[in-house]
Amino acid sequence: MVELKVIEKDDREYTLEEVETKTLHKIQIKFYDLEKEVVVGDVLMLNECQLDKAYKEYSRKLQFGALDEPYGRKIDSKDHKDLLCVKKNGQEYWLKRFFG
């Protein structure tokens, strides 16, 4: 997983900077089932394939929600490509990618 720091936010449009390489990504993300809003300074951990334009399910518009929701794929490990972790104030919130 790659660590991405939220450096700018405009509604659902996030500018994310890879912590290791400083590469910038602009992605629209809708969060479901997350009690606290994702803000500038928070860190997202995302499978690097989600950032690869050659990946068949690549999109600049992503949706993530609770792991126990019926939407999206069944998650069976922390290495799953559809997982996202929000790191906020020392806490981790794990979500899965929704499709549709």
Side-chain angles (χ1 to χ4, degrees), residues 14-48:
Y14 292 84
T15 302
L16 307 171
E17 179 183 63
E18 289 187 39
V19 172
E20 193 172 302
T21 66
K22 305 298 183 202
T23 304
L24 295 179
H25 302 275
K26 284 195 177 240
I27 304 173
Q28 288 183 18
I29 306 174
K30 171 118 175 140
F31 292 99
Y32 297 94
D33 311 308
L34 191 60
E35 293 177 12
K36 299 184 180 197
E37 181 180 356
V38 174
V39 297
V40 171
D42 291 344
V43 173
L44 307 180
M45 290 177 45
L46 184 67
N47 189 296
E48 45 279 337

Side-chain angles (χ1 to χ4, degrees), residues 4-99:
L4 303 155
K5 185 173 183 177
V6 178
I7 60 169
E8 193 175 307
K9 179 185 174 203
D10 182 22
D11 193 27
R12 291 185 193 157
E13 178 88 14
Y14 292 84
T15 302
L16 307 171
E17 179 183 63
E18 289 187 39
V19 172
E20 193 172 302
T21 66
K22 305 298 183 202
T23 304
L24 295 179
H25 302 275
K26 284 195 177 240
I27 304 173
Q28 288 183 18
I29 306 174
K30 171 118 175 140
F31 292 99
Y32 297 94
D33 311 308
L34 191 60
E35 293 177 12
K36 299 184 180 197
E37 181 180 356
V38 174
V39 297
V40 171
D42 291 344
V43 173
L44 307 180
M45 290 177 45
L46 184 67
N47 189 296
E48 45 279 337
C49 73
Q50 299 290 341
L51 302 172
D52 183 358
K53 292 179 183 172
Y55 175 56
K56 68 179 181 175
E57 293 175 348
Y58 170 82
S59 177
R60 287 195 55 242
K61 295 181 180 182
L62 300 172
Q63 301 176 80
F64 292 92
L67 297 174
D68 60 354
E69 287 288 339
Y71 315 106
R73 296 183 175 107
K74 181 180 179 193
I75 304 296
D76 52 8
S77 78
K78 285 198 173 185
D79 296 326
H80 198 283
K81 64 184 176 189
D82 292 333
L83 262 181
L84 172 101
C85 178
V86 178
K87 291 184 174 184
K88 181 177 196 58
N89 301 325
Q91 300 276 31
E92 290 185 354
Y93 304 92
W94 290 88
L95 304 168
K96 71 177 179 178
R97 184 175 176 188
F98 289 174
F99 293 89

